[in-house]
Amino acid sequence: MPFRIERNDITRIIVDAIVNAANNSLLGGGGVDGAIHAAAGPELLEECRTLGGCETGDAKLTNGYKLPAKFVIHTVGPVWHGGGNGEEAKLRSCYRRCLEIADKNGLESIAFPLISAGVYGYPKKEAFKIAVDEIRSFLRNHDMEIILVVFDRNSLFIGDERFREVQGFIDAFYVEIPRRVYSCAANEPIGTAGREAPAKKTAKPHKKQKRGLFSRKESRDYGKEEDSIDDFLPGDDLSEESVPLPCAAMPTFTVDESFSEMLLRLIDEKGLKDSECYFRANVDRKLFSKIRCNKDYRPSKETAIAFAIALELDLNTAGELLSKAGYTLSNSILFDVILRYFFDTRNYNIFEINEVLFSFDQKCL
Ligand code: APR
């Protein structure tokens, strides 16, 4: 995926260039500036001394020295004074200038911190949105691997109401099923791995679930008082209705249509151009052409889900597209349950999806 968000220390990332959120002197400081200078060693400061500083919104390139990254692009973000002093334009300029310098120097990968979101006080949520917006705009016309490195947990936060709503959905659907080892022949569980098979509980008759997916009605019902978690817990009878089967045994809806064929059909039905679809899915052109040219190509689960979101598919069609690649949205994988929440509420806003995934320590799309 050309663009990803990850929680990390930028000084450890192996890319062509990392971006430093510096100050106008370029002579070091605290925060990410201090961390980068400490990791790069004194030669970085020596080179910075020759640059004669940097304007706010501009950027300058140096070597990376002891850093895993080959280069450092130093940029100076705006100090937040409430938003009425052109802060947004200057912050956007930081991302654009860094990307311009990277492109001009033929760099193929770059990692950004959240510029100005620390000492300079830019509201983190806004700083994040500007970063993602500028990066995605650049990727419309350029091939580059771009990482947005989020260092501290509260850099990406979602509102309490959204958090409660998603948490309620997770409580209703996400069940940690003890790992069962299936005997490959019978598809029968032979007890949980390493432990005795759980004793049969007299669980309440659970609602029939579609394998791997909840019907829209059930997913609408979640959170109602009369429902208890038992209604959604697969009972101990492991007949295939109650527990998603291993992928190999998942149903295929129409045997003759592959993932690639269904994807291309849906793109046409939605009236989208190929480029618009794979851009929305944050999939690079090369990967898309592989999928397009090889009817039996099997993408990763994240890629299949990203296309389902880009096409704004309803829950069942998304499940059908995923099943073509041999996947299902499982109720025992937190990432899947969170994605189901967005399919179920028909919210395809990639910002919001990534904010929630990040808030629950899940990999972002
Ligand atoms: N890796 C990735 N991100 C980091 C790291 C790190 N090692 N350390 C801090 N960050 C994050 C912060 O959590 C924040 O989200 O980088 C973002 C930018 O924070 P600052 O480093 O404070 O940068 P900024 O807000 O742009 O202020 C720049 O601070 O350090 C001084 O010399 C610098 O004067 C300049 C000012």
Side-chain angles (χ1 to χ4, degrees):
M1 289 190 164
F3 171 41
R4 69 175 190 274
I5 302 161
E6 69 179 57
R7 180 180 294 118
N8 207 330
D9 173 345
I10 202 167
T11 62
R12 297 163 53 183
I13 299 202
I14 303 172
V15 283
D16 285 350
I18 59 172
V19 172
N20 179 21
N23 56 50
N24 298 103
S25 72
L26 293 187
L27 300 180
V32 72
D33 196 2
I36 289 175
H37 275 274
E43 294 161 300
L44 177 62
L45 185 57
E46 278 168 38
E47 184 175 353
C48 285
R49 286 191 203 287
T50 66
L51 297 178
C54 180
E55 289 300 311
T56 301
D58 198 0
K60 294 191 174 176
L61 180 79
T62 67
N63 287 302
Y65 300 104
K66 295 195 175 79
L67 286 161
K70 294 179 198 146
F71 300 100
V72 179
I73 300 177
H74 306 262
T75 191
V76 182
V79 177
W80 178 256
H81 292 296
N85 298 277
E87 291 95 326
E88 177 174 342
K90 288 184 188 123
L91 185 56
R92 287 181 180 276
S93 169
C94 288
Y95 288 96
R96 289 180 194 167
R97 281 290 296 133
C98 292
L99 290 166
E100 244 168 62
I101 290 171
D103 188 40
K104 202 173 78 181
N105 288 276
L107 308 188
E108 293 177 357
S109 55
I110 183 171
F112 283 96
L114 266 181
I115 301 164
S116 285
V119 167
Y120 281 3
Y122 211 105
K124 292 185 188 291
K125 202 171 176 106
E126 285 315 305
F128 171 72
K129 282 204 162 138
I130 287 167
V132 174
D133 191 40
E134 287 301 327
I135 291 167
R136 286 174 64 82
S137 302
F138 175 82
L139 287 171
R140 273 189 183 279
N141 308 306
H142 298 84
D143 282 341
M144 194 179 286
E145 186 196 346
I146 304 179
I147 306 171
L148 181 59
V149 181
V150 184
F151 188 62
D152 45 27
R153 219 190 123 63
N154 62 3
S155 292
L156 268 194
F157 59 89
I158 52 176
D160 293 345
E161 189 193 329
R162 165 59 58 84
F163 192 87
R164 270 197 304 276
E165 193 180 332
V166 177
Q167 189 62 63
F169 191 88
I170 291 170
D171 293 344
F173 293 109
Y174 177 50
V175 279
E176 309 233 22
I177 299 177
R179 200 162 56 82
R180 288 177 173 79
V181 178
Y182 283 85
S183 71
C184 50
N187 251 341
E188 277 303 317
I190 44 178
T192 42
R195 286 196 312 256
E196 279 307 303
K200 281 240 175 272
K201 281 187 300 187
T202 48
K204 275 165 64 179
H206 59 279
K207 289 181 173 163
K208 284 255 175 280
Q209 301 164 4
K210 281 193 175 165
R211 290 186 226 144
L213 280 180
F214 289 89
S215 70
R216 281 192 69 74
K217 183 184 168 318
E218 276 162 339
S219 55
R220 280 270 172 263
D221 286 352
Y222 76 86
K224 297 274 187 314
E225 274 61 49
E226 68 277 7
D227 276 343
S228 81
I229 187 67
D230 281 351
D231 291 316
F232 295 93
L233 272 176
D236 278 318
D237 70 304
L238 289 153
S239 65
E240 57 185 15
E241 285 77 40
S242 68
V243 176
L245 291 175
C247 291
M250 285 303 294
T252 45
F253 290 75
T254 15
V255 176
D256 55 350
E257 193 177 38
S258 68
F259 173 86
S260 167
E261 288 163 333
M262 182 174 177
L263 174 66
L264 297 175
R265 171 171 61 81
L266 289 171
I267 292 174
D268 292 343
E269 284 172 7
K270 299 276 183 180
L272 284 175
K273 288 198 301 187
D274 289 354
S275 55
E276 182 55 28
C277 181
Y278 65 72
F279 173 75
R280 277 194 205 175
N282 185 21
V283 169
D284 66 34
R285 190 164 27 90
K286 283 175 238 140
L287 175 56
F288 183 79
S289 58
K290 270 189 208 164
I291 294 172
R292 180 176 190 98
C293 300
N294 173 1
K295 102 170 179 56
D296 299 320
Y297 186 86
R298 194 175 155 213
S300 71
K301 184 171 184 176
E302 286 79 12
T303 300
I305 288 175
F307 275 118
I309 288 170
L311 290 163
E312 301 191 349
L313 300 180
D314 62 63
L315 192 61
N316 286 328
T317 312
E320 183 173 350
L321 183 65
L322 280 166
S323 76
K324 300 292 179 190
Y327 304 117
T328 178
L329 281 180
S330 160
N331 57 346
S332 58
I333 299 173
L334 184 55
F335 177 90
D336 291 12
V337 174
I338 292 174
L339 265 298
R340 181 188 288 123
Y341 163 81
F342 282 97
F343 282 119
D344 191 74
T345 51
R346 311 219 58 167
N347 177 346
Y348 303 100
N349 181 320
I350 196 77
F351 286 111
E352 294 186 19
I353 294 172
N354 277 331
E355 277 181 334
V356 170
L357 287 171
F358 196 86
S359 299
F360 283 90
D361 290 328
Q362 299 300 305
K363 197 174 162 199
C364 293
L365 285 177

Short mmCIF file of all heavy atoms in Angstrom, two decimals, residues 9-53:
data_model
loop_
_atom_site.label_atom_id
_atom_site.label_comp_id
_atom_site.label_asym_id
_atom_site.label_seq_id
_atom_site.Cartn_x
_atom_site.Cartn_y
_atom_site.Cartn_z
N ASP A 9 8.83 4.85 16.34
CA ASP A 9 9.81 5.93 16.56
C ASP A 9 10.45 6.18 15.20
O ASP A 9 11.07 5.28 14.63
CB ASP A 9 10.85 5.44 17.58
CG ASP A 9 11.98 6.41 17.73
OD1 ASP A 9 12.14 7.30 16.87
OD2 ASP A 9 12.74 6.30 18.71
N ILE A 10 10.30 7.36 14.68
CA ILE A 10 10.72 7.64 13.29
C ILE A 10 12.21 7.41 13.09
O ILE A 10 12.65 7.11 11.97
CB ILE A 10 10.31 9.08 12.90
CG1 ILE A 10 10.23 9.21 11.37
CG2 ILE A 10 11.25 10.13 13.51
CD1 ILE A 10 9.53 10.47 10.91
N THR A 11 12.98 7.49 14.17
CA THR A 11 14.45 7.33 14.00
C THR A 11 14.80 5.88 13.68
O THR A 11 15.93 5.57 13.34
CB THR A 11 15.19 7.74 15.28
OG1 THR A 11 14.78 6.86 16.34
CG2 THR A 11 14.90 9.18 15.65
N ARG A 12 13.82 4.99 13.81
CA ARG A 12 14.11 3.56 13.56
C ARG A 12 13.64 3.10 12.19
O ARG A 12 13.84 1.96 11.80
CB ARG A 12 13.44 2.71 14.65
CG ARG A 12 13.99 3.03 16.02
CD ARG A 12 13.12 2.54 17.13
NE ARG A 12 12.79 1.12 17.03
CZ ARG A 12 11.98 0.53 17.91
NH1 ARG A 12 11.42 1.24 18.86
NH2 ARG A 12 11.72 -0.74 17.81
N ILE A 13 12.99 3.99 11.47
CA ILE A 13 12.35 3.54 10.23
C ILE A 13 13.34 3.53 9.06
O ILE A 13 14.10 4.50 8.86
CB ILE A 13 11.14 4.44 9.92
CG1 ILE A 13 10.15 4.28 11.09
CG2 ILE A 13 10.51 4.05 8.59
CD1 ILE A 13 8.75 4.62 10.82
N ILE A 14 13.32 2.44 8.34
CA ILE A 14 14.25 2.28 7.20
C ILE A 14 13.56 2.72 5.92
O ILE A 14 12.79 1.98 5.31
CB ILE A 14 14.70 0.80 7.09
CG1 ILE A 14 15.34 0.32 8.39
CG2 ILE A 14 15.70 0.66 5.92
CD1 ILE A 14 15.64 -1.16 8.45
N VAL A 15 13.78 3.95 5.57
CA VAL A 15 13.22 4.54 4.33
C VAL A 15 14.31 5.43 3.71
O VAL A 15 15.37 5.64 4.31
CB VAL A 15 12.00 5.43 4.63
CG1 VAL A 15 10.75 4.62 4.91
CG2 VAL A 15 12.27 6.38 5.81
N ASP A 16 14.03 5.92 2.51
CA ASP A 16 15.03 6.81 1.89
C ASP A 16 15.20 8.10 2.70
O ASP A 16 16.29 8.60 2.90
CB ASP A 16 14.60 7.17 0.45
CG ASP A 16 14.82 6.00 -0.49
OD1 ASP A 16 15.48 5.03 -0.06
OD2 ASP A 16 14.32 6.02 -1.62
N ALA A 17 14.08 8.64 3.20
CA ALA A 17 14.21 9.89 3.98
C ALA A 17 13.19 9.92 5.11
O ALA A 17 12.06 9.48 4.93
CB ALA A 17 14.00 11.10 3.09
N ILE A 18 13.63 10.45 6.25
CA ILE A 18 12.65 10.75 7.30
C ILE A 18 12.56 12.26 7.39
O ILE A 18 13.52 12.99 7.07
CB ILE A 18 13.03 10.16 8.68
CG1 ILE A 18 14.38 10.67 9.16
CG2 ILE A 18 12.97 8.64 8.65
CD1 ILE A 18 14.70 10.26 10.60
N VAL A 19 11.41 12.74 7.79
CA VAL A 19 11.20 14.19 7.89
C VAL A 19 11.37 14.60 9.35
O VAL A 19 10.91 13.92 10.27
CB VAL A 19 9.79 14.55 7.40
CG1 VAL A 19 9.46 16.02 7.68
CG2 VAL A 19 9.67 14.27 5.90
N ASN A 20 12.09 15.70 9.53
CA ASN A 20 12.30 16.24 10.87
C ASN A 20 11.45 17.48 11.07
O ASN A 20 11.45 18.38 10.23
CB ASN A 20 13.79 16.62 11.04
CG ASN A 20 14.05 17.20 12.42
OD1 ASN A 20 13.27 16.98 13.35
ND2 ASN A 20 15.13 17.97 12.53
N ALA A 21 10.69 17.50 12.18
CA ALA A 21 9.91 18.70 12.53
C ALA A 21 10.85 19.61 13.30
O ALA A 21 10.99 19.51 14.53
CB ALA A 21 8.70 18.30 13.37
N ALA A 22 11.52 20.48 12.56
CA ALA A 22 12.61 21.29 13.13
C ALA A 22 12.11 22.69 13.49
O ALA A 22 10.93 22.97 13.43
CB ALA A 22 13.74 21.36 12.11
N ASN A 23 13.08 23.56 13.88
CA ASN A 23 12.74 24.97 14.08
C ASN A 23 13.55 25.77 13.06
O ASN A 23 14.39 25.23 12.35
CB ASN A 23 13.03 25.42 15.52
CG ASN A 23 14.47 25.15 15.90
OD1 ASN A 23 15.39 25.52 15.15
ND2 ASN A 23 14.68 24.46 16.99
N ASN A 24 13.32 27.06 13.01
CA ASN A 24 13.90 27.87 11.93
C ASN A 24 15.44 27.85 11.92
O ASN A 24 16.05 27.99 10.87
CB ASN A 24 13.43 29.32 12.03
CG ASN A 24 11.91 29.42 11.87
OD1 ASN A 24 11.19 29.58 12.84
ND2 ASN A 24 11.42 29.24 10.65
N SER A 25 16.03 27.61 13.08
CA SER A 25 17.52 27.63 13.11
C SER A 25 18.10 26.34 12.50
O SER A 25 19.24 26.29 12.07
CB SER A 25 17.99 27.74 14.57
OG SER A 25 17.73 26.49 15.22
N LEU A 26 17.33 25.28 12.50
CA LEU A 26 17.80 23.94 12.08
C LEU A 26 18.95 23.46 12.97
O LEU A 26 19.73 22.59 12.56
CB LEU A 26 18.24 23.93 10.62
CG LEU A 26 17.15 24.15 9.56
CD1 LEU A 26 17.73 23.94 8.15
CD2 LEU A 26 15.94 23.25 9.78
N LEU A 27 19.06 24.00 14.15
CA LEU A 27 20.20 23.61 15.01
C LEU A 27 19.78 22.70 16.15
O LEU A 27 20.41 22.64 17.20
CB LEU A 27 20.90 24.88 15.53
CG LEU A 27 21.46 25.78 14.42
CD1 LEU A 27 22.14 27.01 15.01
CD2 LEU A 27 22.42 24.99 13.50
N GLY A 28 18.66 21.95 15.93
CA GLY A 28 18.25 20.95 16.92
C GLY A 28 17.31 21.53 17.97
O GLY A 28 17.10 22.74 18.04
N GLY A 29 16.75 20.61 18.74
CA GLY A 29 15.78 21.05 19.76
C GLY A 29 15.30 19.83 20.50
O GLY A 29 16.06 18.85 20.67
N GLY A 30 14.03 19.82 20.88
CA GLY A 30 13.48 18.67 21.61
C GLY A 30 12.67 17.80 20.67
O GLY A 30 12.91 17.79 19.45
N GLY A 31 11.74 17.07 21.24
CA GLY A 31 10.78 16.28 20.43
C GLY A 31 11.47 15.43 19.38
O GLY A 31 12.56 14.88 19.58
N VAL A 32 10.82 15.39 18.23
CA VAL A 32 11.37 14.52 17.16
C VAL A 32 12.70 15.09 16.65
O VAL A 32 13.61 14.35 16.28
CB VAL A 32 10.33 14.35 16.02
CG1 VAL A 32 10.15 15.61 15.19
CG2 VAL A 32 10.66 13.16 15.14
N ASP A 33 12.85 16.40 16.71
CA ASP A 33 14.10 17.07 16.30
C ASP A 33 15.26 16.54 17.14
O ASP A 33 16.31 16.10 16.62
CB ASP A 33 13.92 18.58 16.52
CG ASP A 33 14.97 19.42 15.79
OD1 ASP A 33 15.80 18.83 15.07
OD2 ASP A 33 14.94 20.65 15.94
N GLY A 34 15.02 16.54 18.43
CA GLY A 34 16.08 16.06 19.34
C GLY A 34 16.37 14.59 19.13
O GLY A 34 17.53 14.17 19.09
N ALA A 35 15.32 13.82 18.90
CA ALA A 35 15.51 12.36 18.72
C ALA A 35 16.30 12.08 17.45
O ALA A 35 17.20 11.23 17.43
CB ALA A 35 14.14 11.68 18.65
N ILE A 36 16.00 12.83 16.40
CA ILE A 36 16.70 12.59 15.12
C ILE A 36 18.17 12.98 15.22
O ILE A 36 19.06 12.24 14.80
CB ILE A 36 15.97 13.35 13.96
CG1 ILE A 36 14.62 12.66 13.67
CG2 ILE A 36 16.85 13.42 12.71
CD1 ILE A 36 13.76 13.37 12.65
N HIS A 37 18.43 14.13 15.83
CA HIS A 37 19.84 14.53 15.98
C HIS A 37 20.60 13.55 16.86
O HIS A 37 21.75 13.19 16.57
CB HIS A 37 19.92 15.96 16.55
CG HIS A 37 19.81 17.03 15.49
ND1 HIS A 37 20.89 17.48 14.79
CD2 HIS A 37 18.73 17.67 15.01
CE1 HIS A 37 20.49 18.38 13.90
NE2 HIS A 37 19.18 18.52 14.02
N ALA A 38 19.95 13.08 17.89
CA ALA A 38 20.64 12.12 18.80
C ALA A 38 20.96 10.83 18.06
O ALA A 38 22.06 10.28 18.20
CB ALA A 38 19.73 11.83 20.00
N ALA A 39 20.05 10.40 17.21
CA ALA A 39 20.27 9.11 16.51
C ALA A 39 21.23 9.27 15.34
O ALA A 39 21.98 8.35 15.01
CB ALA A 39 18.91 8.58 16.01
N ALA A 40 21.22 10.44 14.71
CA ALA A 40 22.06 10.64 13.51
C ALA A 40 23.52 10.90 13.90
O ALA A 40 24.44 10.60 13.13
CB ALA A 40 21.53 11.82 12.70
N GLY A 41 23.72 11.50 15.06
CA GLY A 41 25.10 11.81 15.47
C GLY A 41 25.48 13.25 15.13
O GLY A 41 24.75 13.95 14.39
N PRO A 42 26.62 13.70 15.60
CA PRO A 42 27.02 15.12 15.48
C PRO A 42 27.21 15.62 14.05
O PRO A 42 27.09 16.82 13.80
CB PRO A 42 28.35 15.16 16.26
CG PRO A 42 28.84 13.75 16.31
CD PRO A 42 27.63 12.87 16.28
N GLU A 43 27.46 14.70 13.12
CA GLU A 43 27.68 15.18 11.74
C GLU A 43 26.43 15.85 11.17
O GLU A 43 26.50 16.72 10.32
CB GLU A 43 28.07 13.99 10.85
CG GLU A 43 29.43 13.37 11.19
CD GLU A 43 29.53 11.96 10.62
OE1 GLU A 43 28.69 11.12 11.02
OE2 GLU A 43 30.40 11.74 9.78
N LEU A 44 25.25 15.40 11.66
CA LEU A 44 24.02 16.00 11.15
C LEU A 44 23.99 17.49 11.51
O LEU A 44 23.72 18.34 10.66
CB LEU A 44 22.79 15.29 11.72
CG LEU A 44 21.43 15.88 11.30
CD1 LEU A 44 21.22 15.81 9.80
CD2 LEU A 44 20.28 15.15 12.02
N LEU A 45 24.32 17.79 12.76
CA LEU A 45 24.32 19.19 13.19
C LEU A 45 25.35 20.00 12.40
O LEU A 45 25.08 21.11 11.96
CB LEU A 45 24.61 19.27 14.70
CG LEU A 45 24.52 20.67 15.31
CD1 LEU A 45 23.15 21.30 15.09
CD2 LEU A 45 24.85 20.62 16.82
N GLU A 46 26.50 19.37 12.15
CA GLU A 46 27.52 20.10 11.37
C GLU A 46 26.98 20.47 9.99
O GLU A 46 27.12 21.60 9.54
CB GLU A 46 28.76 19.21 11.21
CG GLU A 46 29.69 19.25 12.44
CD GLU A 46 30.76 18.16 12.36
OE1 GLU A 46 31.25 17.90 11.23
OE2 GLU A 46 31.03 17.58 13.42
N GLU A 47 26.27 19.50 9.35
CA GLU A 47 25.73 19.83 8.02
C GLU A 47 24.63 20.88 8.14
O GLU A 47 24.52 21.80 7.32
CB GLU A 47 25.19 18.57 7.33
CG GLU A 47 24.72 18.87 5.91
CD GLU A 47 24.28 17.66 5.08
OE1 GLU A 47 24.45 16.51 5.56
OE2 GLU A 47 23.77 17.88 3.98
N CYS A 48 23.80 20.79 9.19
CA CYS A 48 22.71 21.77 9.35
C CYS A 48 23.26 23.19 9.53
O CYS A 48 22.67 24.15 9.05
CB CYS A 48 21.87 21.39 10.58
SG CYS A 48 20.79 19.97 10.27
N ARG A 49 24.42 23.27 10.16
CA ARG A 49 25.00 24.62 10.36
C ARG A 49 25.27 25.32 9.02
O ARG A 49 25.30 26.54 8.91
CB ARG A 49 26.33 24.50 11.13
CG ARG A 49 26.20 24.19 12.60
CD ARG A 49 27.56 24.37 13.31
NE ARG A 49 27.67 23.60 14.55
CZ ARG A 49 27.04 23.92 15.68
NH1 ARG A 49 26.26 24.99 15.71
NH2 ARG A 49 27.18 23.16 16.78
N THR A 50 25.48 24.49 7.97
CA THR A 50 25.85 25.10 6.66
C THR A 50 24.60 25.56 5.89
O THR A 50 24.70 26.10 4.81
CB THR A 50 26.59 24.05 5.79
OG1 THR A 50 25.63 22.98 5.48
CG2 THR A 50 27.77 23.44 6.53
N LEU A 51 23.42 25.24 6.42
CA LEU A 51 22.21 25.49 5.61
C LEU A 51 21.63 26.89 5.79
O LEU A 51 20.73 27.29 5.05
CB LEU A 51 21.14 24.44 5.97
CG LEU A 51 21.52 22.98 5.67
CD1 LEU A 51 20.41 22.04 6.12
CD2 LEU A 51 21.79 22.79 4.18
N GLY A 52 22.06 27.57 6.84
CA GLY A 52 21.56 28.94 7.04
C GLY A 52 20.09 28.99 7.44
O GLY A 52 19.35 29.90 7.04
N GLY A 53 19.64 27.98 8.20
CA GLY A 53 18.27 28.03 8.71
C GLY A 53 17.25 27.65 7.65
O GLY A 53 17.59 27.24 6.52
#
